[in-house]
Amino acid sequence: MAEVSARAALSEAIRYWEPRRIAYNFILFVEVAALYVAHLPTSRSNLDFNLVLALFVLAVLANVAYCAAYVVDVLSQLSTFRTSWLRVRWVLALIGITFAAALTYFFSLGFFG
C-alpha cells in the first residue's frame, strides 16, 4: 500500500464531500419547506424577521457540522484502513444526513408546529 500524504487525503476528501453538500442542503431545505407548508396557516403567522435569522444561523451551523465529516475522512484515509474506508465512507454521509434531517425536523416542528 502506497503512503498517502495529508494534502492528497484532504484533496480527495474535498472531491468527495463538496458535491454531496449540495444534496445535504437541498434535503434539509425541502424538509423545512415541507413542514412550513404542512403547518399553514400557523407557520405563516410565526414567520417573522427573527425566525428568518434563526433559520439562517441554523443553516450555517448545519454546514459547519457537515465539515465534521472531513476530520473523520482525512484521518481514515491516512490510516492503514484507507482502501476499506474509501469503499464505505458513504455510510458516514448517510448517517450524517439522517442525523441532520432529524435535528431539522425537530427544530422546524418547534418553529412551525
Side-chain angles (χ1 to χ4, degrees):
M1 180 173 100
E3 191 78 16
V4 177
S5 69
R7 181 180 188 144
L10 183 58
S11 296
E12 171 61 28
I14 291 169
R15 251 189 311 279
Y16 182 82
W17 291 104
E18 285 311 308
R20 285 155 184 82
R21 185 186 298 266
I22 296 167
Y24 172 80
N25 282 308
F26 181 74
I27 289 167
L28 298 184
F29 173 78
V30 167
E31 186 175 10
V32 171
L35 284 167
Y36 176 82
V37 170
H39 291 94
L40 281 172
T42 305
S43 58
R44 186 177 319 189
S45 65
N46 292 346
L47 191 61
D48 63 1
F49 184 70
N50 288 331
L51 180 57
V52 171
L53 283 178
L55 290 172
F56 173 74
V57 168
L58 290 172
V60 170
L61 290 175
N63 278 278
V64 170
Y66 185 86
C67 294
Y70 280 98
V71 175
V72 175
D73 191 30
V74 171
L75 291 176
S76 297
Q77 286 188 55
L78 294 174
S79 75
T80 56
F81 302 105
R82 181 177 196 274
T83 306
S84 300
W85 172 250
L86 293 177
R87 285 193 310 267
V88 299
R89 66 181 166 179
W90 63 269
V91 173
L92 179 63
L94 183 63
I95 291 169
I97 290 171
T98 303
F99 181 68
L103 287 176
T104 299
Y105 175 80
F106 288 121
F107 272 97
S108 296
L109 202 57
F111 291 148
F112 303 131

